[in-house]
Amino acid sequence: MNTTPKDEPGRHRAGARLARELAGLLLVAIGTIGLVTAAFAVHRLVGTGLVAAVLTGFGSWTLYQRPRPGRLARDVGVAATVAGTALALALIWTLSSIGGLAAVSALGVAAGLWLTSGEVR
């Protein structure tokens, strides 16, 4: 008797795995929207901070995947990280102009160190 891998016990079909992944992503999206909505209900700055954290976290997670992400994934990761960082800086600046200036200056120092040679790292 010739069995195929999908007939073996304990193995899931590709369609079932895809449906499970889709359901998981849908639950993550709905949960994130619920958290952001609740945060905005508390205060708009709390909601903005949560959005900045989610964007920066998603972008960083995308960029640090192994093996290296493809071009589209890298571009999406960079865009999300830049948008989250810019939103966080705007939020800090809204709360305190001195804090915003300090955050922008620290970001400039970090970017400068990143651009220097590998000897500094």
Side-chain angles (χ1 to χ4, degrees), residues 1 18 55 64-65 74 83 92 94 98:
M1 181 170 133
L18 184 61
L55 282 174
Y64 284 109
Q65 291 294 307
R74 188 181 66 236
I92 293 170
T94 301
I98 295 173

Side-chain angles (χ1 to χ4, degrees), residues 78-115:
V78 167
T81 304
V82 167
T85 304
L87 193 58
L89 288 174
L91 177 66
I92 293 170
W93 205 292
T94 301
L95 293 173
S96 166
S97 59
I98 295 173
L101 180 61
V104 169
S105 299
L107 187 63
V109 169
L113 288 175
W114 178 70
L115 290 173

Side-chain angles (χ1 to χ4, degrees), residues 36-88:
V36 169
T37 303
F40 270 105
V42 171
H43 195 274
R44 64 183 174 89
L45 294 178
V46 174
T48 304
L50 181 63
V51 170
V54 167
L55 282 174
T56 305
F58 169 74
S60 300
W61 176 78
T62 303
L63 293 174
Y64 284 109
Q65 291 294 307
R66 295 288 184 255
R68 290 280 187 201
R71 182 171 172 82
L72 179 63
R74 188 181 66 236
D75 291 347
V76 168
V78 167
T81 304
V82 167
T85 304
L87 193 58

